[in-house]
Amino acid sequence: MGEEAKVVELPESPEKKRRKLLIIIAACIVVLSLIAVLILSFSPVLAAKKIEVTGTKLVNAGKLTESLEPLKGTPLPRISESKVQELLGNQPAIDQVVVKAQMPNTLVVEVIEAVPVAILVDGDKEYLVSDIGKKLRTLGKNDKTKLPKIKASDETKDPEKFKLLTGILSTVDASVLKEVSTASLSKAGFAELLLPKKRTLIWGDASKAALKNEVAKIFVKELNKEYASKTTIDVTNPENPVVY
């Protein structure tokens, strides 16, 4: 053939054009998103000017707010829960914090506190303690908190035994717990709870808590009636409670 072959370029298929367009659009969205994040992360418009602390009962919200003052002026998207916890320091009563941004300039810190289950009486001092035996705060002389009292003893000085007792107390229904004046741990590792009118509730360990609570609630409700002559109820085996 004396004449050079001519190559005819075929038009791009609609599917290929559509694919290219989608790639370009996706790339633009990613770039714009990154730009938006950078702007929001460093913009003084979204800087924290107000700090609100919520959910506190055991700790002083005002003092926590003061501890968080260094965060003022920091853009809200850059404030992390770890930074908030670092500023709050070691607060035994605080289990967790949840950080929320309330646009345009308010930082809301929701405090989730440990739940007290008893009062540890050690000499002339009293402490609220959690289900894991941790001291949450010292009680003042005028504090009216109604929880079972645990007298300091060799058992309470043993972290594992004390944790065992407070853990058992955490399984007792609130309606029963409010009737308990003192709690102790027997050598067998059973919780013994003192009720009004010198009645004793032998709870046992932390097992079968739901059934134990049902039996205990009946006993507490009937203190002035059919069990008036009885002083002790043992719900260690709640399927066969013993009253004597």
Side-chain angles (χ1 to χ4, degrees):
M1 297 170 74
E3 192 176 336
E4 290 184 0
K6 293 182 179 180
V7 178
V8 179
E9 189 174 338
L10 296 175
E12 195 171 39
S13 70
E15 182 60 32
K16 194 172 182 181
K17 282 184 178 180
R18 192 179 303 111
R19 229 179 357 251
K20 279 186 178 180
L21 182 60
L22 289 174
I23 292 172
I24 292 171
I25 292 173
C28 289
I29 291 173
V30 171
V31 171
L32 290 173
S33 298
L34 289 173
I35 293 172
V37 168
L38 289 172
I39 291 173
L40 291 175
S41 297
F42 295 94
S43 173
V45 176
L46 296 179
K49 293 181 181 177
K50 293 171 60 181
I51 298 175
E52 295 179 3
V53 175
T54 65
T56 57
K57 290 182 180 179
L58 304 178
V59 291
N60 187 297
K63 289 183 178 179
L64 295 185
T65 304
E66 286 178 15
S67 299
L68 298 175
E69 282 290 314
L71 293 176
K72 285 188 175 179
T74 304
L76 292 172
R78 293 176 58 195
I79 299 175
S80 65
E81 290 178 357
S82 60
K83 182 60 179 177
V84 169
Q85 289 175 330
E86 180 186 331
L87 289 172
L88 292 180
N90 182 28
Q91 299 278 349
I94 298 178
D95 264 354
Q96 185 184 352
V97 293
V98 178
V99 175
K100 302 174 185 176
Q102 197 173 83
M103 298 302 179
N105 55 21
T106 302
L107 175 70
V108 179
V109 177
E110 180 187 354
V111 174
I112 301 173
E113 296 181 328
V115 178
V117 297
I119 298 170
L120 174 64
V121 181
D122 191 354
D124 59 353
K125 291 187 177 180
E126 295 187 346
Y127 306 91
L128 280 181
V129 292
S130 71
D131 61 327
I132 58 173
K134 182 167 64 174
K135 292 179 182 177
L136 304 179
R137 73 175 175 89
T138 305
L139 289 179
K141 291 182 179 180
N142 298 321
D143 198 294
K144 302 298 182 184
T145 302
K146 182 72 174 70
L147 283 171
K149 291 189 175 182
I150 301 172
K151 292 183 180 180
S153 63
D154 291 339
E155 280 72 26
T156 64
K157 290 175 184 176
D158 182 325
E160 290 304 314
K161 289 183 179 179
F162 189 46
K163 184 177 177 180
L164 175 61
L165 177 55
T166 54
I168 293 172
L169 289 176
S170 71
T171 68
V172 182
D173 188 88
S175 63
V176 177
L177 203 63
K178 71 179 182 180
E179 300 293 339
V180 179
S181 56
T182 62
S184 59
L185 192 68
S186 70
K187 290 183 179 179
F190 288 170
E192 296 183 0
L193 316 177
L194 187 63
L195 297 170
K197 298 187 177 182
K198 297 183 179 179
R199 300 317 197 257
T200 300
L201 173 60
I202 301 176
W203 190 266
D205 57 22
S207 65
K208 301 181 180 180
L211 186 54
K212 287 179 180 179
N213 277 305
E214 292 305 313
V215 176
K217 281 189 279 188
I218 295 171
F219 180 73
V220 169
K221 186 177 179 182
E222 302 295 328
L223 278 177
N224 295 320
K225 299 179 183 178
E226 58 186 285
Y227 299 124
S229 61
K230 309 298 182 182
T231 61
T232 303
I233 179 170
D234 187 337
V235 295
T236 302
N237 181 9
E239 288 90 349
N240 295 291
V242 179
V243 182
Y244 53 92

